[in-house]
Amino acid sequence: MTVDIVYMDFMKAFDKVPHGHLLHKLQSLGIHHKIILWLQDFLNDRSEAVLYNNCISLSAKVRSGVPQGTVVGPSSFLTSVNDLPDEVSSMIYMFADDTKLYEGITQGCYAITRRAARRESALLRTPV
């Protein structure tokens, strides 16, 4: 049997989770509004700067990403991708930001690759 396999690694995945998308998803999952407000407050008004060679850059507002090194960070990322298995018709394995899709070829060559490309395109269009 011939198998199509697609390996995906969400590059800088923890840095690219849109705050609005995450909050919208939590609301749609039925998370209590006080928890969503707390998380919104936790994510809002964050800024970052770079220190290099004893020089510090101007700070910039952070509009996406989950704070790494926090308890809430990994859970927030997983919440943002937890419905991916429901959206694909092939077998899927996920671990953190790594995903593997596989399927026996029955619809012609590269069927899974075409579907994965369409799904990735749809996932990048997120509500804010």
Side-chain angles (χ1 to χ4, degrees):
M1 173 188 231
T2 305
V3 177
D4 261 350
I5 300 176
V6 175
Y7 292 96
M8 297 187 304
D9 183 348
F10 296 105
M11 184 173 57
K12 297 205 174 260
F14 286 81
D15 298 332
K16 294 185 178 181
V17 174
H19 295 163
H21 173 73
L22 174 61
L23 296 169
H24 175 76
K25 248 186 131 170
L26 290 170
Q27 186 176 19
S28 70
L29 290 170
I31 302 299
H32 194 277
H33 72 279
K34 286 187 178 184
I35 294 173
I36 293 173
L37 290 174
W38 175 85
L39 187 60
Q40 183 177 13
D41 190 52
F42 179 70
L43 294 172
N44 282 348
D45 297 324
R46 297 182 84 79
S47 62
E48 63 186 6
V50 176
L51 175 64
Y52 177 74
N53 204 19
N54 290 329
C55 293
I56 191 161
S57 70
L58 296 174
S59 65
K61 185 172 174 126
V62 176
R63 291 183 166 78
S64 65
V66 292
Q68 296 179 38
T70 66
V71 173
V72 110
S75 298
S76 297
F77 172 74
L78 292 175
T79 299
S80 71
V81 297
N82 72 343
D83 60 350
L84 184 57
D86 299 332
E87 301 294 327
V88 296
S89 60
S90 60
M91 298 298 293
I92 185 169
Y93 287 115
M94 297 175 69
F95 180 76
D97 63 342
D98 297 317
T99 302
K100 177 172 70 172
L101 304 167
Y102 71 94
E103 181 176 327
I105 297 176
T106 57
Q107 301 174 5
C109 212
Y110 308 113
I112 190 174
T113 306
R114 287 191 302 273
R115 284 197 306 273
R118 284 194 304 266
R119 177 51 45 206
E120 180 183 16
S121 176
L123 285 173
L124 293 176
R125 288 181 254 128
T126 56
V128 177

